[in-house]
């Protein structure tokens, strides 16, 4: 089952909010989304460039640790062998952008609640599907700053090939929403930390046989429940 940003936000803003660890594998829709986000593509390409330039070092120092697992840590406790990159406040993650995206999401929740309430009076309304509107901007601005941690599952320096294991990390906290976190509308919100980890693997070839980096294919840009 894929993770939606709505699930994470609902837990974060709930009066009964609890700290939660969200681990999203390669097959998760949210992972597909972040892999297509340019700041993530750029950070992964930076790790790939370092691997190509320092392959022997990666083979001795950046092999994937089989025993490491993600946890509820802030700052992140990554694989001890990881090559790590921190991306601070990439474009589109400012509080104003997130506020606008959240207003759209909250409005769709209110519309669905109203339709359900009216369903008791006008029964046909109960059968009308009203999905919440979770835009691309809501998914990305809710992340804000993030970390990329890269290791190699296997690497052949002579052949210039490797299978990379990528982890991406973010923690959603009251600090994430800046001045809007103190808005009266959120006075009852628990805002407990949400620890978000995404994981995927990438095959990398460099040198004359190498190919340009980039995110995976995926669904086109839309506005409702990516």
């Amino acid at each position: 089952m894929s993770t939606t940003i709505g699930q994470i936000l609902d837990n974060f803003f709930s009066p009964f909010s609890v700290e939660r660890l969200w681990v999203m594998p390669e097959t998760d829709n949210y992972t597909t989304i972040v892999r297509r986000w340019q700041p993530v593509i750029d950070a992964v390409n930076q790790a790939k460039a370092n691997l190509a330039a320092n392959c022997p070092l990666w083979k001795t120092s950046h092999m994937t640790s089989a025993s490491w697992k993600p946890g509820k840590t802030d700052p992140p406790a990554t694989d001890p062998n990881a090559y790590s990159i921190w991306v601070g406040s990439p474009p589109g993650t400012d509080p104003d952008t997130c506020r606008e995206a959240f207003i759209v999401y909250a409005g769709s929740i209110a519309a669905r609640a109203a339709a359900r309430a009216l369903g008791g009076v006008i029964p046909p309304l109960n059968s009308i599907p009203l999905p919440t509107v979770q835009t691309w901007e809501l998914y990305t601005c809710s992340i804000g700053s993030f970390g990329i941690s890269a290791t190699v599952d296997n690497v052949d320096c002579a052949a210039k090939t490797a299978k990379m294991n990528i982890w991406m990390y973010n923690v959603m906290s009251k600090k994430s929403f800046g001045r809007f976190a103190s808005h009266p509308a959120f006075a009852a919100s628990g805002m407990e930390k949400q620890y978000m980890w995404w994981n995927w693997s990438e095959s990398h070839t460099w040198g004359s046989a190498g190919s340009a980096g980039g995110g995976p294919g995926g669904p086109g840009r839309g506005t409702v429940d990516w």
Side-chain angles (χ1 to χ4, degrees):
M1 181 176 179
S2 287
T3 307
T4 68
I5 187 56
Q7 292 172 317
I8 300 173
L9 289 171
D10 289 350
N11 185 37
F12 179 72
F13 285 110
S14 169
F16 309 104
S17 176
V18 294
E19 282 195 349
R20 180 168 172 179
L21 176 66
W22 303 82
V23 180
M24 292 158 276
E26 189 164 344
T27 54
D28 195 290
N29 186 55
Y30 204 166
T31 303
T32 299
I33 291 171
V34 299
R35 292 184 68 186
R36 297 180 68 239
W37 189 23
Q38 194 60 50
V40 173
I41 294 172
D42 292 343
V44 171
N45 283 344
Q46 183 180 335
K48 288 179 177 179
N50 189 277
L51 166 58
N54 302 284
C55 186
L57 177 63
W58 278 69
K59 191 168 185 176
T60 58
S61 302
H62 296 307
M63 298 297 293
T64 302
S65 300
S67 61
W68 177 83
K69 302 294 181 185
K72 298 178 182 179
T73 55
D74 182 19
T78 64
D79 184 323
N81 293 338
Y83 176 84
S84 297
I85 299 165
W86 186 256
V87 180
S89 303
T93 62
D94 57 280
D96 290 309
T97 297
C98 214
R99 173 180 174 272
E100 294 303 315
F102 188 75
I103 286 173
V104 172
Y105 173 62
S108 69
I109 292 176
R112 184 169 62 177
R116 287 176 175 173
L118 287 172
V121 180
I122 310 173
L125 288 178
N126 284 326
S127 62
I128 299 175
L130 289 174
T132 56
V133 180
Q134 301 177 43
T135 63
W136 168 276
E137 288 78 13
L138 187 67
Y139 273 96
T140 55
C141 79
S142 296
I143 296 171
S145 301
F146 64 87
I148 290 290
S149 300
T151 56
V152 284
D153 292 339
N154 54 69
V155 58
D156 186 330
C157 294
K160 298 182 179 180
T161 61
K163 182 179 180 182
M164 302 180 72
N165 187 27
I166 309 294
W167 282 91
M168 176 177 166
Y169 164 91
N170 166 261
V171 59
M172 181 184 291
S173 66
K174 189 173 183 178
K175 182 180 178 182
S176 305
F177 288 85
R179 66 184 184 277
F180 295 112
S182 58
H183 192 282
F186 305 131
S189 299
M191 296 190 187
E192 295 295 334
K193 290 182 177 180
Q194 306 298 303
Y195 302 90
M196 301 148 69
W197 294 86
W198 299 262
N199 178 233
W200 66 92
S201 62
E202 293 197 21
S203 295
H204 181 41
T205 302
W206 61 96
S208 59
S211 58
R221 181 167 175 155
T223 58
V224 179
D225 284 343
W226 279 68

